[in-house]
Amino acid sequence: MIYQNLLLTKISDFLNYNQQMLLTLIVTGIACSILGCFLVLNKLSMLTDALSHSILLGIVLAYFVTKDLNSPLLLIGAGIFGVFTVYAIGLLSKTRLVKNDDAVGIIFPLFFSLAVILISTFARNVHLDTDIVLMGQVIMIPLNNMTVFGVELPKALFYMLIILLINLIFVAVFFKELKVSSFDPEFATLAGFSSGLLFYGLMTLTSFTAVAAFDAVGAILVIALFVGPAASAYMLTKSLKKMLLVSIIFSILNSTLGFYLAIVLNVSISGMIAVITGMTTFMTVLLNRQGIITAIYLRYKNRKEFRLDLLIMHLGNHEDQEDAEFELGFATIKDHLSWDKETAERRLNRLIDQGFVQRNYEKKIFCLTEKGRLRYDMIKVDYGM
Amino acid sequence: MSKNIIVKVEDLTMAYHDKPVLWDNDVNIIENSRTAIIGPNGAGKSTLLKGILGLQKTLSGTVEIMGKSVKQVHKKIAYIPQSNSVNWDFPTTALDVVLMGRYVHLGWIKRPKKKDIETARNALHKMGMQDYAKRQISQLSGGQKQRVFIARAIAQNAEIYFMDEPLAGVDKNTEKVIIDFLKDSQKEGKTSIVIHHDLNTLADYFDHLVILNKRIIAQGKMSETLTQANLDAADMGGGFKINA
Amino acid sequence: MLSVFLNKIFSLNFANLLNAIGLDFEILSSYTFIVVCLGTMILATVAGMVGTITVLKGQSLIGDAIGHSSYPGIIIAFMIGMSLDSVSLMIGAIISGTLAFIIIQFIDKNSKLNLDAVLAVILSAFFGLGMVLKSFIQGHPIYGKVPQGGLSNYIFGQAAFIRTIDVQLILAVAIPSLLILFLFYKEFKIFVFDEVYAKSIGLNSTVMYVLLVLITMSVIATGLKLVGAILISSFLIVPGITALQWSNRFSHVLIIAAIVGSLSAFVGTYISSVYAGMSTGPCIIVVMSGLAFISMFISPKGLLANWLRRRKYINDLSKSLID
C-alpha cells in the first residue's frame, strides 16, 4: 500500500470532491466558451442546440457497434455523428427547399426521437434516465477515476483537459483565419482561406467538445456553456482577443457561482449553472456600455434636448414668414406642433429661461433672441442641413 | 388644374430612436398632381411617407389627408412599400396578392366576393399581368412583382397613391407601364406621390416636386422647383446639370 | 370471376378489411388507443396549422426555445397548486413560455446579440431553472410527499397515459384556436405576407401578434403532456414545412399541414401501440419527418422535379446546339 502511494499521485489528496467537480466544470466551461465565441460571431449558436440533442443518437448508434458503455469509441462515434448532423443541416438548407432555421428545427428533433425510440426498443437493458441525458451527472464526476502518467484523476476532468488543449491549439494556430472568416467570410474566401474547411474544423471540435461535455454536464448546460459567456463577452468587447478572454472570465464566474449555489440549496448543479449563465448574460444586456439602460437614458436625454432644438428650429423657420402669427402665436403654437398646452409651455419656458427665446408682445408671438438665432444656425450645421 | 391641397403636412418632425430624421417639415401635396419626392440617401424620404401614413411615430406635427386624419381615410389611400418589406416565401399567387387590395373595403372577418375577384382580375389586366394570375409571387421577375403590387393598389380603388421607389430595379417596359398608369390615373382625377431617384426622367414623369434633405428644401411645380440652386441646396447638384 | 371477387369483398367485415391492409383491429378499437389517437391527432392538426404561420414568419427556432422554456412553469404551477392537475400545469406552462418569449423579444430588440444566441441562452436558462426547481422539490419535506412522478412526463411527453380529460383539454384549446385562424384568415394572410402594407390599410399589427402568440402558446402548453418540452416544436414546424413543398396557396398549405399532422399522429400512435416500449411522441415525429423528406424529394417543387427539369433543359440545349 505504501509503495503504491509513493508512485501514485492522487488528485483527491489535494482537492476534495466538491473542488474536483468545480475544477472539471471550469475546464469544461473554458473549453466550450473559446469555441463559443466563434459560434456566436458566425451566428451558429442554435447549432449547439441541434448538436447537443443529436449527440444522443450518435451515442446510441456507437453503442450498437461497441456494445460497451465505457468505451472511448462511444465518444468518438458520437463526435463524428455530431459533425454529420451539421453536414446534414447544411445539405438540407442548400437545397433551398427550406430555410436554414427550418433545417435545424427539422433535423435535431428527428435524431433525438430516433435515439429515444432505439433506446426504448433495442437497448432496454441499458438504463436511460432522461434526467441524466439532460442534466448529466456532475455528482458522479469524482467517483469515476482513471490513472494517467501516475496521476489518478476524474475521467471527465482528463477528457476535458485534452479537449481544452486541442481547442486552444486550434484557436491559436488558426487565429488569423478564424478572425477574418468570422468578420468577413467573403473576404476570407477571396483571400484564399477555405472557409468551408475552417467551418468544418470548427464544427468538428464543437461536436467533440459537446460530446465530452454532454457526458459530464448534460445536454442543456452544454448549450449555455457554449453560448452564454461568449454572448456576454461579445457585448462588452471590441477585439477578438479580449472577447475570448472575457468569455473565459464569465465562464469561470458562472460555473463557480452556480456550483456553490446549487450545493448550498441542494439542487441540480448543471441546472443552476445554466440559470446563472442566463442571468449574467441578461445583466450584461442591461448594463453594458451600449446596453439597454444606457440607451434608455440617452434616448430620454436626447429626446428632451432634441425637442428643445426642434422648437428653436420651428421658431427660426417661421419667424420671418407671413404665417408667423399662426405658427408661433402665443395661443396657437402648440397646435402646430401638436403638443398639449402644458408641454408646449414648459418647453417654451425652459428656452426662455435659457435665453434662447423671448415673447414678442407686439405681434403676440414667440421669437428667437440673438442667442437663439446663433443656436438655430448651429443646429442646422449639427444635423447637416 | 385645381389648386386644392389634398395632403397637408404641418411641422412634421420624426426621429428613428434618438436620431432625428425629419425636421419641422411643412409639405403640401396638390390634388390631382403627379408629385415626386427626391433627396439624397438618408434624407428621410421613406420616413416622410411612413409619417404621413401613420406607420411610424411622429414627434411633432399634424397630417391631414383630404381634410381628415389618416385613420379615417385608409380606404382612399394606397401604399406601395419598398419590396423588401414583403415575405417572398409566402405561398400566394399574383391574383391573390392583388385581391389583398380589396381587404381594406371588406373589414374584419368578411371574405372577398366574386365582385372583388373580378376587380382584382381587371387590375392585373391593366398592368398586363393577366397571364400570370396563377403564378407564385416569388417566381415573378422584379418588374413583374412591381406590376402586381401596382395592380393591388388599383384594386384598392384609392384616390391617392403613395409609392416608395416603384421604379427601383424594374425593366424599361415595366417603367413605362407604371408611368403610363400614373398619367392615366391623373386623368381620372387621382393623385400620386412617388419617391423617385432618377433626376434624368424626373421632369418627364412628374409635374410637381418635393426636394427633401431632412427638411424641405423646396416644393411646388416641377418647372419652378427643379433648379440647380435647389439641387445644390439638397446636396444633389454634383454631377447633374439642369439643361436650361 | 367478378362475382367471386365481389362476394369476397362483401363477405369481409370491417375488422377483416383492416386486417387485410395490415392494421390490427383489436388495437384500433381499444379504448386507450382511441383516446390517445384522438388527442395526438387533434393536437397535430391544430399545431400544424398554427405552426405554418410560425414557419412563414421565420420563427421556427423560437418555437423550440419556447417549448423548452415552458418547462419551469409546469414545476412552479405544481408547487403552487400541490397537484398534477392538467389545467393548472398548462397555465403555468403558458405563463413561463410567454415570459421567455417577451424576454427574447426584449433582448433581440435592445442588444446587438443575434437572435439565435438569445434563443440558445434563454432556452438553456429557463430549462435549467426547471431542472433546479424539480431537484428542489424532489428532496423537499413538504413537496416531497405529493406524488410528482408525472412531472417528468412533461419533458419527453407520455401520450400513452393521457385520459379523456386531457383530450377534452386539447379540444378546449384546439377549437378556439382554429376558430381564430378561420375567422381572421384574411388578416393573418396579409399580416404574414406584407406587414407594412397591412398596417397601411389600418390593420392593427399588435393585435395580430398577440393573437398569434396566444394561440401558439396554448398549443405548445397542451402539447407538453403528449410530446414533451423538447420535441413539441416539431409538431409546430414539420407539417408546415411539408405542406409548403406541395402548394403555392396559403389556404391549401394550411389544409395540407393539418392533414400531414393528423396522418402522422395516427400512424405514429398506431406504431407505438403495436410495438411495446416505443414512445408515442418520438414515433409521430419520425413519421412526420419522413413525410417531410419524401415531400422534399417528390413534390412538384422538389429535388426530383428539379433534377428532371434540369436534365430536360440540358437535353434541349444540346439538341438545339447540334441542330
Side-chain angles (χ1 to χ4, degrees):
Chain A
M1 280 306 268
I2 295 166
Y3 175 72
Q4 250 183 355
N5 269 347
L6 280 178
L7 274 182
L8 193 70
T9 316
K10 278 189 172 174
I11 202 165
S12 49
D13 294 339
F14 309 102
L15 302 171
N16 63 26
Y17 276 6
N18 277 356
Q19 288 162 337
Q20 288 177 43
M21 283 186 242
L22 181 59
L23 183 65
T24 311
L25 286 169
I26 287 175
V27 172
T28 310
I30 296 174
C32 288
S33 65
I34 51 175
L35 295 183
C37 287
F38 298 102
L39 298 175
V40 167
L41 285 173
N42 285 299
K43 300 173 190 153
L44 298 169
S45 310
M46 278 306 266
L47 271 186
T48 61
D49 182 34
L51 270 179
S52 76
H53 287 82
S54 306
I55 281 167
L56 186 63
L57 181 55
I59 292 178
V60 174
L61 292 176
Y63 172 74
F64 282 136
V65 178
T66 62
K67 300 280 180 197
D68 175 13
L69 266 181
N70 292 314
S71 161
L73 283 177
L74 217 60
L75 299 185
I76 292 170
I80 292 169
F81 190 78
V83 180
F84 169 73
T85 305
V86 175
Y87 181 72
I89 289 170
L91 206 63
L92 193 55
S93 66
K94 221 180 263 169
T95 64
R96 287 168 185 270
L97 293 171
V98 295
K99 282 178 278 182
N100 187 48
D101 278 11
D102 298 340
V104 176
I106 197 170
I107 290 279
F108 86 80
L110 172 64
F111 285 179
F112 198 76
S113 299
L114 283 172
V116 173
I117 291 174
L118 287 178
I119 292 169
S120 57
T121 44
F122 298 109
R124 248 184 287 172
N125 51 338
V126 179
H127 180 63
L128 175 89
D129 188 332
T130 54
D131 282 3
I132 293 177
V133 170
L134 295 168
M135 296 202 268
Q137 280 181 297
V138 179
I139 291 285
M140 300 294 282
I141 288 172
L143 302 177
N144 222 335
N145 285 323
M146 65 194 292
T147 309
V148 190
F149 302 124
V151 182
E152 191 190 277
L153 75 174
K155 217 166 151 185
L157 179 59
F158 176 67
Y159 284 153
M160 284 322 302
L161 277 171
I162 291 184
I163 296 270
L164 173 62
L165 195 69
I166 296 173
N167 289 353
L168 279 173
I169 293 171
F170 175 76
V171 170
V173 170
F174 296 106
F175 186 78
K176 191 176 76 229
E177 287 79 1
L178 283 167
K179 185 173 166 178
V180 174
S181 69
S182 298
F183 288 107
D184 192 350
E186 271 170 40
F187 174 74
T189 319
L190 288 177
F193 307 136
S194 168
S195 44
L197 208 64
L198 210 59
F199 172 77
Y200 276 103
L202 180 64
M203 289 329 291
T204 306
L205 289 186
T206 307
S207 175
F208 278 92
T209 310
V211 169
F214 175 92
D215 205 31
V217 300
I220 298 298
L221 182 55
V222 169
I223 305 169
L225 292 181
F226 271 118
V227 183
S232 300
Y234 177 60
M235 288 182 277
L236 290 175
T237 57
K238 289 206 174 90
S239 83
L240 185 54
K241 273 184 195 153
K242 278 186 196 155
M243 182 174 164
L244 284 163
L245 199 70
V246 172
S247 78
I248 291 173
I249 296 171
F250 263 102
S251 183
I252 295 172
L253 188 84
N254 293 335
S255 298
T256 315
L257 212 62
F259 178 77
Y260 282 113
L261 260 175
I263 295 294
V264 170
L265 298 172
N266 191 20
V267 293
S268 157
I269 294 167
S270 35
M272 199 56 166
I273 298 176
V275 173
I276 296 292
T277 304
M279 282 164 88
T280 53
T281 311
F282 190 67
M283 292 304 278
T284 321
V285 169
L286 291 181
L287 296 174
N288 77 73
R289 216 177 309 151
Q290 295 113 37
I292 291 162
I293 291 181
T294 328
I296 290 170
Y297 171 71
L298 278 181
R299 208 175 294 168
Y300 174 76
K301 197 176 139 234
N302 282 349
R303 190 175 288 177
K304 218 162 136 185
E305 271 171 22
F306 171 57
R307 297 238 154 102
L308 296 180
D309 286 354
L310 168 65
L311 202 49
I312 291 176
M313 281 293 288
H314 184 69
L315 291 166
N317 285 346
H318 291 286
E319 233 171 22
D320 305 326
Q321 310 264 322
E322 296 156 25
D323 57 5
E325 62 177 298
F326 304 110
E327 290 279 349
L328 310 178
F330 286 162
T332 50
I333 187 166
K334 66 176 173 56
D335 299 328
H336 287 275
L337 294 162
S338 71
W339 291 346
D340 66 56
K341 197 172 166 224
E342 283 98 62
T343 320
E345 260 171 24
R346 197 181 61 237
R347 288 176 183 154
L348 279 162
N349 283 333
R350 233 186 116 94
L351 287 177
I352 290 170
D353 291 344
Q354 289 173 351
F356 291 124
V357 173
Q358 61 194 9
R359 288 189 171 85
N360 184 332
Y361 290 100
E362 214 173 291
K363 293 190 197 160
K364 296 210 160 83
I365 61 168
F366 292 97
C367 57
L368 294 176
T369 60
E370 201 58 31
K371 198 175 152 197
R373 280 255 142 227
L374 283 173
R375 178 87 192 115
Y376 172 68
D377 292 334
M378 258 174 59
I379 293 170
K380 275 172 125 180
V381 175
D382 278 355
Y383 291 99
M385 283 180 286
Chain B
M1 191 192 293
S2 62
K3 270 285 175 190
N4 289 335
I5 293 169
I6 193 160
V7 178
K8 190 171 173 63
V9 178
E10 284 200 319
D11 309 312
L12 184 73
T13 300
M14 296 178 68
Y16 182 71
H17 284 321
D18 38 3
K19 216 173 147 211
V21 185
L22 286 177
W23 281 87
D24 197 38
N25 285 305
D26 296 333
V27 184
N28 294 320
I29 305 290
I30 308 295
E31 187 174 354
N32 200 15
S33 68
R34 270 176 290 132
T35 302
I37 301 175
I38 61 165
N41 283 337
K45 290 165 291 187
S46 297
T47 313
L48 177 64
L49 278 199
K50 286 184 181 160
I52 292 174
L53 295 168
L55 298 175
Q56 205 170 310
K57 253 194 182 165
T58 60
L59 287 183
S60 77
T62 53
V63 175
E64 276 181 12
I65 299 177
M66 297 189 262
K68 292 177 182 157
S69 90
V70 67
K71 281 195 181 130
Q72 295 166 292
V73 292
H74 279 309
K75 288 182 187 172
K76 305 225 162 124
I77 54 181
Y79 174 47
I80 300 169
Q82 275 179 334
S83 51
N84 58 14
S85 80
V86 174
N87 183 349
W88 294 117
D89 298 319
F90 192 85
T92 188
T93 58
L95 181 64
D96 230 19
V97 173
V98 179
L99 200 53
M100 288 179 192
R102 301 300 302 160
Y103 286 7
V104 68
H105 298 282
L106 297 172
W108 287 80
I109 296 172
K110 281 184 200 134
R111 296 291 153 87
K113 298 189 185 63
K114 267 222 174 93
K115 225 179 90 195
D116 296 309
I117 296 172
E118 204 49 43
T119 313
R121 275 194 193 284
N122 287 338
L124 261 186
H125 195 85
K126 250 186 207 165
M127 283 288 113
M129 289 291 294
Q130 63 278 15
D131 296 339
Y132 298 90
K134 297 257 177 222
R135 270 305 171 85
Q136 194 192 351
I137 190 73
S138 63
Q139 292 168 351
L140 300 175
S141 74
Q144 290 170 331
K145 282 175 186 160
Q146 197 59 269
R147 287 199 220 178
V148 171
F149 287 115
I150 307 257
R152 178 171 71 180
I154 298 174
Q156 208 176 322
N157 202 7
E159 296 297 317
I160 315 173
Y161 298 110
F162 291 88
M163 304 188 183
D164 198 339
E165 303 227 18
L167 304 181
V170 306
D171 53 283
K172 276 279 160 230
N173 193 21
T174 301
E175 183 161 328
K176 189 177 176 303
V177 171
I178 294 175
I179 296 305
D180 286 347
F181 161 71
L182 289 181
K183 289 179 178 168
D184 289 347
S185 330
Q186 188 173 36
K187 281 177 202 142
E188 291 166 20
K190 298 187 175 176
T191 312
S192 36
I193 300 149
V194 180
I195 295 179
H196 194 56
H197 61 281
D198 184 4
L199 294 180
N200 293 303
T201 52
L202 190 60
D204 295 337
Y205 290 174
F206 301 97
D207 56 21
H208 281 71
L209 179 64
V210 175
I211 304 180
L212 183 74
N213 189 7
K214 289 177 188 150
R215 60 193 195 109
I216 299 296
I217 306 294
Q219 58 178 319
K221 278 190 181 153
M222 183 63 73
S223 52
E224 294 156 16
T225 319
L226 185 61
T227 64
Q228 193 65 47
N230 282 341
L231 289 182
D232 287 340
D235 287 334
M236 296 181 76
F240 187 80
K241 292 283 169 274
I242 302 281
N243 302 319
Chain C
M1 194 62 188
L2 189 72
S3 64
V4 175
F5 181 69
L6 282 178
N7 258 337
K8 203 171 179 186
I9 289 202
F10 283 119
S11 71
L12 286 171
N13 64 23
F14 189 58
N16 287 341
L17 193 70
L18 287 170
N19 281 330
I21 57 171
L23 291 175
D24 187 332
F25 182 69
E26 227 163 277
I27 289 179
L28 288 176
S29 62
S30 83
Y31 181 71
T32 329
F33 176 80
I34 291 172
V35 169
V36 175
C37 198
L38 266 180
T40 53
M41 281 178 79
I42 298 166
L43 177 75
T45 305
V46 61
M49 293 177 93
V50 174
T52 301
I53 297 179
T54 316
V55 172
L56 286 171
K57 273 258 156 203
Q59 298 185 328
S60 38
L61 290 179
I62 295 187
D64 177 43
I66 290 172
H68 281 76
S69 302
S70 54
Y71 185 57
I74 300 265
I75 313 285
I76 293 174
F78 169 79
M79 289 167 74
I80 294 172
M82 298 282 274
S83 86
L84 287 166
D85 171 42
S86 295
V87 178
S88 60
L89 296 193
M90 184 184 136
I91 291 170
I94 291 182
I95 292 174
S96 108
T98 309
L99 184 68
F101 181 74
I102 291 170
I103 296 177
I104 289 168
Q105 297 290 336
F106 177 77
I107 299 181
D108 188 41
K109 255 188 206 142
N110 290 294
S111 81
K112 61 174 191 172
L113 283 181
N114 273 310
L115 179 63
D116 65 331
V118 182
L119 292 179
V121 172
I122 296 298
L123 171 160
S124 55
F126 268 71
F127 200 84
L129 180 65
M131 303 194 305
V132 166
L133 292 174
K134 186 157 173 283
S135 59
F136 176 72
I137 58 173
Q138 257 161 5
H140 197 273
I142 303 169
Y143 301 115
K145 284 183 193 138
V146 186
Q148 42 183 260
L151 286 178
S152 294
N153 293 347
Y154 285 84
I155 300 180
F156 290 112
Q158 271 300 3
F161 294 157
I162 63 168
R163 278 166 293 162
T164 325
I165 170 99
D166 295 306
V167 178
Q168 285 167 349
L169 193 63
I170 294 168
L171 267 179
V173 167
I175 290 172
S177 300
L178 289 181
L179 204 64
I180 287 175
L181 264 190
F182 180 74
L183 284 179
F184 301 115
Y185 168 76
K186 173 169 111 280
E187 283 75 17
F188 272 116
K189 186 169 162 180
I190 195 163
F191 165 73
V192 180
F193 176 63
D194 191 349
E195 201 179 319
V196 180
Y197 177 75
K199 277 193 211 163
S200 85
I201 61 167
L203 189 76
N204 188 332
S205 60
T206 317
V207 172
M208 300 309 293
Y209 269 114
V210 170
L211 275 179
L212 188 58
V213 170
L214 201 76
I215 53 178
T216 313
M217 291 294 169
S218 330
V219 170
I220 289 178
T222 35
L224 290 183
K225 192 162 187 186
L226 279 72
V227 199
I230 311 276
L231 294 172
I232 183 67
S233 67
S234 297
F235 267 57
L236 283 169
I237 69 166
V238 179
I241 293 171
T242 309
L244 280 168
Q245 309 302 320
W246 289 101
S247 174
N248 286 336
R249 307 206 52 175
F250 187 47
S251 51
H252 296 184
V253 168
L254 286 177
I255 293 167
I256 296 170
I259 294 171
V260 167
S262 54
L263 184 71
S264 316
F266 176 78
V267 176
T269 310
Y270 180 77
I271 292 174
S272 71
S273 313
V274 174
Y275 302 98
M278 280 204 186
S279 324
T280 314
C283 278
I284 296 174
I285 286 165
V286 171
V287 175
M288 249 178 208
S289 311
L291 287 177
F293 288 122
I294 292 171
S295 302
M296 283 175 212
F297 200 69
I298 63 162
S299 81
K301 302 186 207 172
L303 297 173
L304 193 65
N306 272 341
W307 182 74
L308 288 175
R309 221 170 291 143
R310 206 173 311 137
R311 212 178 64 157
K312 186 171 179 297
Y313 175 75
I314 292 171
N315 273 346
D316 290 355
L317 200 71
S318 54
K319 246 183 227 161
S320 70
L321 283 177
I322 291 164
D323 293 346

